[in-house]
Amino acid sequence: MGPDGGWQNDATPVGPLPVRAGPIPTGSSGSPGSSRAVLGARTGGEGPPVIALRHVTRLYRMGDTDVHALAGVSLVIERGEFVAIMGASGSGKSTMMNVIGCLDVPTSGRYWLDGVDVRNLDESALARIRNRKIGFVFQSFNLIPRTTALANVELPLGYAGVNARERRQRALDALDMVGLTDRTGHVPSEMSGGQQQRVAVARAIVTNPSLILADEPTGNLDTRSSEDIMAIFDQLNRAGRTVVLITHEPDIARHTRRVVRLRDGQVVSDERFDRREAVTG
Amino acid sequence: MNIGNDLRSALRGLSSNKLRSALTVLGIFIGVGAVIIVVAYGNGSSQAVQNRIKALGTNTITILNRGRFGRGPATGGTQSQAATITSQDVANISDPNQAPDVLSVSPVLNTNGTASYSGASDSGVSLTGTTPTYLTAEDYQVQAGSSLTTQNVAHHDQVAVIGQTLVSDLFQVGQNPIGAEVYFGSVRFQVIGVLATKASGTGADPNNIALVPYTTAQDLLTGYTNNFTELIVQARSAGAVNAAEQETADILASANQTSVANLPFTIVNEATLLATSASTSSTFTVLLTVIAAVSLLVGGIGIMNIMLVVVTERTREIGIRKAIGAPRRAILGQFLTEAVLLSLIGGLAGVVVGVIGTHFRIAGVKPVPTTGSVVGAFAVTVAVGVFFGFYPASRAAALRPVDALRYE
């Protein structure tokens, strides 16, 4: 994990950060230890922000014209936050998700993930970052077909080089956390959409990432399964995890405590709510 | 990523479309099987030729007098008299001054007849009147008793050295043939020796034979004649066979007042003939092996083709794997493992069928499989898998996660 702790050295963002008041934290970065329990609490405000975007743009060429999918986005998300990124289709949500998830790199601007500037990382370093710092949950579940729930959840640990025994134990813990202890041997085609998405959530949290990034996680689910999934996200957030949801459904966004709205590749609003009571009550 | 996971995932991938995997494997399977079988048959037939060359005797040529007038169209019926091989010819060829490359000449007076001994008989025995040198020239070994001697020949002795087929036809097991009195037709011969079994060469059973002094054969069996049915000429060395053939042909040509080209005898240099046929058959073996190996190549291309399809089909899976942190080499390893596994399955099946296939005689050739061909074909299989699997696998590894995830 070479890039760890690079925050102090190469990455002190200065200048206006419109969505965030107060100084940029420069405290020592809490290196996310892999030995931490799956549900290990991360307290908010410690260490660098999980996400810090500054003037991020992403340009696509469509024929002769340039399309600004992101047109200068600046955003800071602290450890332990529960954030919804909302916007109509074409607002830049998906591009935002790709950039935040290190699946795509910004055309310009800078992005620090957990204190690491991802701008100059090569492909293998980005793969490592995705593996250790980000847990993805996709709209279409994206489990590996013909592969058991357990093997699906173990997969990221395998790429991290965790040994077979620990892999299995941690995967079982994660499946237990999403309430699928009795489905570990099932393949995706034998599970309902809600169950598949819960496996995906287990896969996202099994590496104990700094950030859980969910792209329309309930988009393919019925109301009840959606509530189940959102309950799991609530629970994860209460346990101290940073959760970023990308959604266009207000009902889903209502679970979060901060809503960032995008339009035409720019942040148009950033509201914070205290919903802890509402959610838990 | 460890190999175990790659193998599991490769097996899962292959078994998800069994028919397609089986068809893909077919090319490699046929290639490996064919290489092993072709090499085994080539090897077997060349060994058979070697054995026949050995069975022919040592560095010999045979001059056959078929009692023909001349030697085909070249003489065109100009000769009025049957050509013969005479004792004078034998003496000339034996003369080291006239034929320095000839080690020995054995005149042969051949007749077929019936041998009998106390009620048992053998009707197909080849009664061969000759000299002691015949045994050396034709590579006969005396197993028991004694061989013919020059004294036997000089004294017109009624003695015989008999082959194993004749022994088993006339005598009971445990009975000692040495000293027994055997009748050939109505003529009585005393058995003085028994020949060891000789490997079968071309033509008749070389063990159903009785060797007697040619003088005796002339007196009692064929009627007095100065003519021999054949001459066995043994050269001094393998390298001298052609020279000895030339010298013999020259002597016979001058004795018959004709040219070598018009010689009224057939000169058989079977070693040369067999060597020619051996080299022809080895050429064919090489050619067939190349064709079989081309099937391996075609099989490899088939694997590459299917792996490209597989990578396209599983683009989304590759995207997922990359999103959750699979490095390039993990994706590369996964698909390379799958390609190698495909070719390995084909290779193993090919080895099994190839080895089974080498247990059957085809056209009288007993195949002799070589470890080299089995190991070689198998090694080539792995190489084919790696070689043709690499491009599809590296295409998979090079996919951008964003594009791969978006792929429908």
Side-chain angles (χ1 to χ4, degrees):
Chain A
M1 291 286 289
D4 256 8
W7 175 259
Q8 297 99 315
N9 299 333
D10 67 337
T12 305
V14 287
L17 287 167
V19 296
R20 187 181 179 280
I24 300 294
T26 55
S28 66
S29 61
S31 177
S34 57
S35 61
R36 225 176 272 183
V38 172
L39 271 175
R42 291 170 184 278
T43 47
E46 269 183 19
V50 174
I51 293 169
L53 297 169
R54 194 171 54 142
H55 306 315
V56 166
T57 66
R58 184 68 178 92
L59 210 71
Y60 290 110
R61 285 199 82 88
M62 301 275 236
D64 290 340
T65 55
D66 291 343
V67 177
H68 274 88
L70 290 179
V73 171
S74 295
L75 181 66
V76 170
I77 294 174
E78 296 289 351
R79 207 167 286 286
E81 281 199 87
F82 193 1
V83 184
I85 295 174
M86 296 191 68
S89 82
S91 60
K93 286 196 313 264
S94 294
T95 308
M96 181 89 157
M97 142 103 182
N98 289 340
V99 169
I100 290 176
C102 295
L103 296 168
D104 201 358
V105 286
T107 308
S108 71
R110 298 183 75 179
Y111 170 36
W112 293 265
L113 173 65
D114 212 16
V116 178
D117 187 349
V118 303
R119 186 171 53 178
N120 298 319
L121 297 183
D122 63 8
E123 201 195 299
S124 67
L126 284 175
R128 208 155 48 223
I129 289 239
R130 286 196 298 271
N131 184 240
R132 317 230 165 141
K133 290 192 182 294
I134 301 169
F136 287 98
V137 179
F138 300 95
Q139 177 173 2
S140 48
F141 322 138
N142 278 352
L143 299 177
I144 308 286
R146 294 181 299 276
T147 304
T148 63
L150 184 65
N152 261 294
V153 177
E154 278 188 22
L155 200 58
L157 295 175
Y159 291 132
V162 175
N163 71 52
R165 227 177 105 193
E166 191 185 339
R167 224 155 57 201
R168 189 181 166 80
Q169 190 50 54
R170 284 170 67 174
L172 285 171
D173 289 348
L175 282 166
D176 182 45
M177 198 267 133
V178 298
L180 280 180
T181 318
D182 56 339
R183 289 282 188 280
T184 56
H186 288 54
V187 297
S189 58
E190 297 166 347
M191 290 186 280
S192 71
Q195 286 170 337
Q196 289 190 51
Q197 194 61 304
R198 281 194 276 163
V199 174
V201 172
R203 183 178 66 187
I205 62 178
V206 75
T207 52
N208 196 29
S210 314
L211 169 68
I212 293 164
L213 188 55
D215 183 15
E216 304 271 12
T218 59
N220 284 359
L221 298 178
D222 59 35
T223 317
R224 217 183 123 208
S225 300
S226 297
E227 286 303 320
D228 287 349
I229 290 294
M230 290 316 298
I232 291 171
F233 281 128
D234 290 340
Q235 192 187 347
L236 287 169
N237 180 246
R238 273 203 305 280
R241 292 190 172 275
T242 314
V243 180
V244 174
L245 291 181
I246 290 165
T247 184
H248 64 273
E249 294 177 67
D251 284 353
I252 298 304
R254 207 161 289 138
H255 282 265
T256 65
R257 283 178 282 146
R258 179 177 171 192
V259 175
V260 176
R261 285 177 202 279
L262 290 181
R263 187 184 300 146
D264 299 331
Q266 285 181 309
V267 175
V268 290
S269 75
D270 185 354
E271 302 165 274
R272 289 160 193 272
F273 310 92
D274 188 6
R275 289 205 181 97
R276 191 177 284 264
E277 281 170 32
V279 171
T280 54
Chain B
M1 274 297 270
N2 64 57
I3 270 289
N5 279 0
D6 281 349
L7 269 181
R8 262 197 298 280
S9 129
L11 277 174
R12 223 171 14 238
L14 296 186
S15 60
S16 73
N17 201 333
K18 293 194 184 66
L19 177 64
R20 188 173 74 188
S21 302
L23 289 174
T24 309
V25 150
L26 216 54
I28 298 287
F29 163 72
I30 291 172
V32 169
V35 165
I36 290 173
I37 291 176
V38 165
V39 169
Y41 279 97
N43 198 24
S45 80
S46 93
Q47 280 198 8
V49 169
Q50 294 305 318
N51 289 340
R52 279 157 64 180
I53 290 176
K54 262 188 215 151
L56 276 180
T58 44
N59 312 328
T60 57
I61 54 174
T62 307
I63 293 97
L64 295 171
N65 180 3
R66 300 292 192 198
R68 287 184 293 138
F69 291 93
R71 203 182 173 222
T75 52
T78 53
Q79 281 181 289
S80 55
Q81 186 183 330
T84 55
I85 303 172
T86 63
S87 301
Q88 186 55 48
D89 295 331
V90 175
N92 287 340
I93 298 168
S94 305
D95 182 357
N97 294 321
Q98 291 189 49
D101 289 299
V102 172
L103 181 65
S104 71
V105 184
S106 315
V108 173
L109 199 57
N110 238 332
T111 182
N112 284 312
T114 303
S116 55
Y117 172 75
S118 70
S121 70
D122 179 336
S123 61
V125 66
S126 162
L127 195 66
T128 304
T130 186
T131 58
T133 50
Y134 180 86
L135 282 90
T136 330
E138 289 288 87
D139 202 24
Y140 278 108
Q141 309 284 332
V142 176
Q143 180 181 293
S146 56
S147 178
L148 294 176
T149 62
T150 45
Q151 279 79 18
N152 293 146
V153 176
H155 297 150
H156 300 231
D157 286 341
Q158 288 174 243
V159 294
V161 177
I162 61 176
Q164 287 292 339
T165 306
L166 193 54
V167 170
S168 60
D169 284 349
L170 295 185
F171 298 93
Q172 280 152 23
V173 178
Q175 212 173 1
N176 185 9
I178 309 289
E181 309 253 289
V182 174
Y183 283 87
F184 295 118
S186 57
V187 186
R188 197 183 62 202
F189 283 82
Q190 186 182 29
V191 176
I192 57 165
V194 173
L195 299 170
T197 305
K198 187 186 172 190
S200 189
T202 48
D205 176 10
N207 298 304
N208 196 1
I209 193 171
L211 302 178
V212 301
Y214 77 88
T215 47
T216 322
Q218 280 175 334
D219 295 347
L220 303 170
L221 296 169
T222 60
Y224 180 78
T225 171
N226 200 27
N227 304 337
F228 299 108
T229 32
E230 57 185 81
L231 292 181
I232 308 294
V233 175
Q234 187 175 18
R236 291 197 181 278
S237 67
V241 173
N242 290 338
E245 180 186 344
Q246 190 58 49
E247 289 156 13
T248 307
D250 286 342
I251 290 168
L252 290 173
S254 72
N256 287 281
Q257 294 162 348
T258 181
S259 65
V260 170
N262 293 331
L263 202 61
F265 310 112
T266 309
I267 297 183
V268 181
N269 187 340
E270 261 188 281
T272 312
L273 288 179
L274 280 178
T276 310
S277 98
S279 83
T280 311
S281 93
S282 88
T283 306
F284 272 104
T285 303
V286 168
L287 198 68
L288 286 172
T289 309
V290 167
I291 292 170
V294 166
S295 161
L296 277 178
L297 189 75
V298 173
I301 294 169
I303 286 181
M304 180 144 141
N305 189 22
I306 282 303
M307 286 312 294
L308 284 171
V309 172
V310 165
V311 167
T312 308
E313 274 180 355
R314 308 222 314 247
T315 300
R316 206 179 165 83
E317 176 190 323
I318 294 162
I320 300 166
R321 286 175 183 273
K322 289 204 144 195
I324 62 175
R328 223 175 229 265
R329 63 173 186 285
I331 303 290
L332 188 76
Q334 184 192 336
F335 286 94
L336 208 50
T337 306
E338 196 161 324
V340 171
L341 198 66
L342 260 180
S343 65
L344 268 185
I345 291 169
L348 273 177
V351 166
V352 169
V353 167
V355 168
I356 290 172
T358 53
H359 283 81
F360 301 100
R361 274 174 180 273
I362 295 179
V365 177
K366 186 185 185 313
V368 181
T370 58
T371 326
S373 73
V374 175
V375 173
F378 200 65
V380 167
T381 300
V382 177
V384 162
V386 171
F387 184 80
F388 288 101
F390 193 82
Y391 175 67
S394 62
R395 262 187 44 166
L399 283 172
R400 291 179 61 224
V402 186
D403 301 335
L405 271 175
R406 213 183 286 137
Y407 185 85
E408 292 296 339

